[in-house]
Amino acid sequence: MAHTPLSELSQEQLAELAKDVRAQYADLQAKGLKLDLTRGKPSSEQLDFGNELLELPGKDHFTDSCGGDVRNYGGGVGIPDIRNLWAEVLGVDPKLVIAGDSSSLNIMFDLVSFSYMFGNNDSARPWKDEEHVKWICPVPGYDRHFSITELFGFEMVTVPMRDGGPDMDKVEELAKDPQVKGMWTVPIFSNPTGTVYSREVIDRLAAMETAAPDFRIVWDNAYAVHTLTDEFPENPNVLEIAAQAGNPNRFWYMSSTSKITHAGSGVAFFASSEENLAWYTKIAGVRGIGPNKRNQLAHAMYFHDAEGVRVVMRKHAGSLAPKFEAVERALEERLGGYGIAQWTRPEGGYFVSLDVPDGTATRVWQLAKEAGIKLTQAGSPFPLHDDPHDRTLRLAPSLPPLDEVVEAMDGVALCVLLAAIEQREA
């Protein structure tokens, strides 16, 4: 439904609309809702897709394809079965893939922590001994990424996201600073915008000059196969691209099954150059004696091959797509034409990024909270939760049942409209 732009309404029309919207908001509050759109968690239906894993690998299966006993210690790089399978999924060389336990976020923390304490394989000194460390953060971005670099006290320098990835002119300029040691990325179906990095952006990231020889890009490809359609996005081999550009150690490449099978008990993957992997495993081998190889074997048996992964992901798309359609429908019906909001229309991933009038995102979050609808707090997609425009909200429709998504999104859109009216009245 197309509405007259709010800026074109007369005072009388605005007053009439405000009265109607406030009455609707009072009705919303009276419902006593308890709805949650905060985190991008899989729904129970999605988790059920992986229940076969609970019976794998079975009591008579305890060796991997090379005869290793998965019940025992050792095998710090993971079993070949799952490494080979996931290398096929990612389109990279299997010898450049390590399989770990369930969380790629843990590996990312390790990589930053190890570099901080000891320096990485290209460091002149540990990062803790640097006078100052800076980190490039495309925004809006992933709050848990920012929490890691915040914890270590790095200065987080933001660059805006464009349609095909971050503003590369700004990224390339920042990389000329020797204090800039790294960059966060989510290259396919970015959190929260759903952006897919273009090949041009990828090539520039791989080839750009950096003043710090130990500069690293965390290539967190968490949503590489998380389509909302039947189509899977192109996934260029950044390790090969970087090596050809003369920067083989540039990327720390992350992936996992966390939102493909069971979120808390999946398998995480770290892919990188041989030199990077040797540095990482030397330190990680002191921290632990090996991952849960039995779980890795179960996953290899469950998927069989890369096409098996795609079969599972089509099931996920069937569950998720109607919820994203409900988000789009509610926002368009409630807000279309008012000229007060913009939102992304992702073809994959777990989030929708909603931009509301500058200075109102916190108010929208508060209004939703008071109506029983939990949203990720305004500012979360920015380092230190500081959105300089107080504009962006992240919507996560995956976890609730569809009917709750429909009800929650109608309420969120109403709150956006009320906040915009309040701003016009002020």
Side-chain angles (χ1 to χ4, degrees):
M1 179 178 180
H3 303 279
T4 303
L6 213 62
S7 60
E8 296 180 10
L9 296 181
S10 67
Q11 288 296 322
E12 293 77 12
Q13 290 172 321
L14 181 65
E16 183 179 351
L17 177 63
K19 181 180 178 181
D20 180 48
V21 169
R22 286 191 169 97
Q24 292 182 55
Y25 181 71
D27 291 341
L28 181 67
Q29 286 183 303
K31 291 182 178 180
L33 300 177
K34 293 183 179 179
L35 303 176
D36 192 335
L37 296 177
T38 55
R39 303 301 314 185
K41 296 179 180 180
S43 67
S44 295
E45 179 184 36
Q46 291 174 265
L47 296 174
D48 285 345
F49 296 151
N51 281 348
E52 182 185 337
L53 276 166
L54 301 176
E55 299 177 2
L56 294 172
K59 65 178 182 177
D60 297 324
H61 293 85
F62 49 82
T63 56
D64 62 29
S65 58
C66 292
D69 191 327
V70 299
R71 300 170 299 177
N72 217 330
Y73 289 125
V77 298
I79 65 171
D81 312 60
I82 196 67
R83 293 173 65 203
N84 291 337
L85 190 158
W86 214 256
E88 183 185 358
V89 171
L90 300 179
V92 301
D93 187 335
K95 71 180 181 182
L96 301 181
V97 179
I98 289 175
D101 286 321
S102 65
S103 174
S104 58
L105 191 68
N106 287 357
I107 300 176
M108 287 183 261
F109 184 90
D110 279 352
L111 291 164
V112 174
S113 178
F114 294 173
S115 297
Y116 184 82
M117 291 299 298
F118 312 112
N120 65 47
N121 41 295
D122 287 319
S123 298
R125 64 190 67 84
W127 290 358
K128 66 180 177 60
D129 295 337
E130 298 284 355
E131 183 177 345
H132 198 63
V133 176
K134 300 177 184 177
W135 202 270
I136 300 172
C137 300
V139 293
Y142 181 26
D143 54 343
R144 292 194 181 276
H145 282 169
F146 303 151
S147 294
I148 292 175
T149 35
E150 177 185 354
L151 182 66
F152 284 92
F154 299 171
E155 179 184 344
M156 292 177 282
V157 187
T158 62
V159 296
M161 285 289 288
R162 306 301 189 196
D163 286 342
D167 182 336
M168 282 305 301
D169 290 341
K170 189 167 184 181
V171 170
E172 289 167 342
E173 186 63 31
L174 289 170
K176 296 176 182 178
D177 182 349
Q179 295 180 328
V180 173
K181 294 293 189 180
M183 177 178 178
W184 294 119
T185 66
V186 182
I188 294 179
F189 304 135
S190 290
N191 179 349
T193 62
T195 301
V196 177
Y197 284 26
S198 70
R199 181 57 190 262
E200 179 189 357
V201 165
I202 292 170
D203 287 345
R204 290 174 72 176
L205 286 170
M208 68 181 183
E209 295 184 9
T210 64
D214 52 351
F215 176 91
R216 296 291 186 265
I217 296 174
V218 179
W219 197 251
D220 186 5
N221 214 353
Y223 305 108
V225 292
H226 285 268
T227 181
L228 291 171
T229 69
D230 287 332
E231 301 297 321
F232 292 87
E234 182 183 0
N235 185 18
N237 183 348
V238 294
L239 302 183
E240 185 176 271
I241 294 168
Q244 291 174 350
N247 299 308
N249 297 342
R250 169 103 359 129
F251 290 98
W252 287 336
Y253 190 150
M254 302 295 136
S255 183
S256 81
T257 71
S258 289
K259 294 179 181 177
I260 299 173
T261 55
H262 291 167
S265 54
V267 182
F269 302 91
F270 172 36
S272 200
S273 67
E274 290 187 52
E275 189 175 321
N276 284 353
L277 295 182
W279 163 77
Y280 172 76
T281 55
K282 182 179 180 180
I283 303 172
V286 177
R287 175 176 53 76
I289 314 176
N292 183 341
K293 300 187 294 299
R294 187 180 181 278
N295 188 44
Q296 293 182 359
L297 181 59
H299 277 76
M301 295 173 67
Y302 172 68
F303 290 125
H304 300 292
D305 54 26
E307 179 56 30
V309 175
R310 290 187 281 270
V311 168
V312 172
M313 294 318 298
R314 291 186 184 101
K315 294 180 182 179
H316 283 267
S319 177
L320 286 168
K323 297 179 182 181
F324 279 80
E325 292 165 2
V327 172
E328 166 68 20
R329 187 166 53 251
L331 293 173
E332 183 60 40
E333 289 179 356
R334 277 283 190 184
L335 303 176
Y338 278 126
I340 59 173
Q342 295 179 316
W343 55 91
T344 57
R345 297 169 173 83
E347 295 183 358
Y350 264 66
F351 305 98
V352 172
S353 185
L354 171 64
D355 283 353
V356 297
D358 286 10
T360 68
T362 299
R363 178 58 176 158
V364 172
W365 174 82
Q366 180 184 21
L367 286 168
K369 180 182 179 182
E370 292 172 358
I373 304 170
K374 291 184 179 180
L375 300 177
T376 304
Q377 190 162 0
S380 293
F382 292 78
L384 306 176
H385 288 201
D386 180 18
D387 176 357
H389 301 288
D390 191 21
R391 172 196 299 161
T392 301
L393 292 162
R394 185 184 74 187
L395 306 175
S398 58
L399 180 63
L402 178 59
D403 59 340
E404 291 187 9
V405 174
V406 170
E407 188 166 31
M409 281 308 309
D410 185 66
V412 169
L414 180 66
C415 293
V416 172
L417 181 55
L418 178 54
I421 290 172
E422 290 176 345
Q423 187 182 66
R424 290 279 297 169
E425 291 174 331

